[in-house]
Amino acid sequence: MRVPFLAGNWKMYKTVAEAVEFVRSLKGALAGVQGVEVAVCPPFTALHAVARELEDSNIVLGAQNMYWEEEGAYTGEISPVMLKETGCRYVILGHSERRQYFGERDEDVNAKVKAALKHGLVPIVCVGERLEEREAGDTEKIVGTQVRRSLAGLSGTELARLVVAYEPVWAIGTGRTASPEDAQEVNAFIRRVLAGMGGEEAARQVRIQYGGSVKPENAADLLGQPDIDGALVGGASLKVESFAAIVRAALRV
């Protein structure tokens, strides 16, 4: 049984003070919640303070990115060792904004995934197609290539530890959402690709999230699909009420 996993990607929002105030309120809103895993992924500057605030809570910490080297002359980068020290359990890798704005390739994501696993972090590996690719009927071609290249060289055991997030680029921050049926179709396809890479048992264990304008109004329909094991939430994770409502929706399905 895959435990639903809801992760809030705060992107470049919230100062340290705002982040601490937010998680303090979120802890109260989710006190006693069981049967679902919840993570918040603040900016790097707030990780340490948020980690302290989350101690002895049912919410875990994630980061939004990292570099694949443990240390070195890489100005502005953050290593997996540094993330682990702050208390991170998860790290988002290969988000479409990293690919689009910062030129990250599948090969870069692959190096980061391997480094994260080596240091005991769980990667949330993002894949997804652009609108023109969907309209051309290339969704499976694009998403399949991203999955295979981003996760190349991993054993079935390593694959089973991952989280994959299907985030159609055309739905991120646009207010547009894939229909539950369309999202389920792609998530099921991703699971078949994973089975071909690491075996059926590993593929059954991988949690595959959906991301892209997830909000309280559509969360239950999306999370009720058999191959949608949670959500990577953007804008709606920036408000306690909306993020908590999405978590509660996961418990109802």
Side-chain angles (χ1 to χ4, degrees), residues 96-158:
S96 66
E97 291 159 1
R98 298 297 314 174
R99 296 174 187 264
Q100 179 179 354
Y101 302 136
F102 304 103
E104 287 194 9
R105 307 164 301 158
D106 293 328
E107 293 77 12
D108 300 322
V109 178
N110 183 242
K112 293 181 178 186
V113 168
K114 291 175 178 176
L117 290 170
K118 176 182 176 182
H119 291 281
L121 295 165
V122 179
I124 302 172
V125 184
C126 301
V127 298
E129 83 282 14
R130 300 192 303 271
L131 180 60
E132 58 269 28
E133 293 166 338
R134 168 168 280 269
E135 291 178 339
D138 289 336
T139 294
E140 290 192 358
K141 175 184 175 183
I142 297 300
V143 171
T145 297
Q146 289 177 342
V147 171
R148 292 184 185 97
R149 290 180 177 174
S150 298
L151 305 180
L154 299 184
S155 67
T157 301
E158 289 171 323

Side-chain angles (χ1 to χ4, degrees), residues 51-70:
R52 287 203 307 269
E53 189 63 37
L54 292 179
E55 288 178 1
D56 301 319
S57 79
N58 57 351
I59 304 167
V60 298
L61 185 66
Q64 298 176 23
N65 187 35
M66 56 162 242
Y67 195 57
W68 57 77
E69 295 287 356
E70 296 179 8

Side-chain angles (χ1 to χ4, degrees), residues 44-45 65-69 71-79 82-83 98 102 104 112:
F44 289 134
T45 51
N65 187 35
M66 56 162 242
Y67 195 57
W68 57 77
E69 295 287 356
E71 61 183 11
Y74 305 105
T75 299
E77 293 293 342
I78 301 292
S79 79
M82 295 171 182
L83 294 185
R98 298 297 314 174
F102 304 103
E104 287 194 9
K112 293 181 178 186

Side-chain angles (χ1 to χ4, degrees), residues 3-220:
V3 176
F5 178 38
L6 292 305
N9 177 14
W10 295 359
K11 307 189 180 185
M12 201 173 70
Y13 292 97
K14 297 193 185 298
T15 64
V16 175
E18 290 168 343
V20 169
E21 181 182 0
F22 178 92
V23 294
R24 193 170 290 154
S25 298
L26 185 65
K27 285 193 303 183
L30 298 181
V33 168
Q34 297 179 339
V36 63
E37 187 173 12
V38 180
V40 292
C41 302
F44 289 134
T45 51
L47 286 175
H48 187 64
V50 169
R52 287 203 307 269
E53 189 63 37
L54 292 179
E55 288 178 1
D56 301 319
S57 79
N58 57 351
I59 304 167
V60 298
L61 185 66
Q64 298 176 23
N65 187 35
M66 56 162 242
Y67 195 57
W68 57 77
E69 295 287 356
E70 296 179 8
E71 61 183 11
Y74 305 105
T75 299
E77 293 293 342
I78 301 292
S79 79
V81 177
M82 295 171 182
L83 294 185
K84 191 71 177 175
E85 185 186 39
T86 65
C88 286
R89 181 179 300 177
Y90 292 95
V91 57
I92 300 170
L93 299 175
H95 193 280
S96 66
E97 291 159 1
R98 298 297 314 174
R99 296 174 187 264
Q100 179 179 354
Y101 302 136
F102 304 103
E104 287 194 9
R105 307 164 301 158
D106 293 328
E107 293 77 12
D108 300 322
V109 178
N110 183 242
K112 293 181 178 186
V113 168
K114 291 175 178 176
L117 290 170
K118 176 182 176 182
H119 291 281
L121 295 165
V122 179
I124 302 172
V125 184
C126 301
V127 298
E129 83 282 14
R130 300 192 303 271
L131 180 60
E132 58 269 28
E133 293 166 338
R134 168 168 280 269
E135 291 178 339
D138 289 336
T139 294
E140 290 192 358
K141 175 184 175 183
I142 297 300
V143 171
T145 297
Q146 289 177 342
V147 171
R148 292 184 185 97
R149 290 180 177 174
S150 298
L151 305 180
L154 299 184
S155 67
T157 301
E158 289 171 323
L159 286 173
R161 294 166 53 194
L162 294 169
V163 176
V164 176
Y166 168 54
E167 291 202 308
V169 179
W170 49 270
I172 298 173
T174 64
R176 299 180 61 179
T177 310
S179 71
E181 295 75 19
D182 286 344
Q184 161 60 24
E185 183 178 352
V186 179
N187 277 32
F189 167 73
I190 292 171
R191 203 174 301 282
R192 292 195 298 273
V193 173
L194 293 169
M197 297 175 67
E200 295 284 348
E201 181 56 34
R204 276 195 293 270
Q205 293 182 52
V206 176
R207 289 183 292 181
I208 306 177
Q209 298 174 314
Y210 170 78
S213 298
V214 178
K215 44 190 178 289
E217 295 76 16
N218 61 27

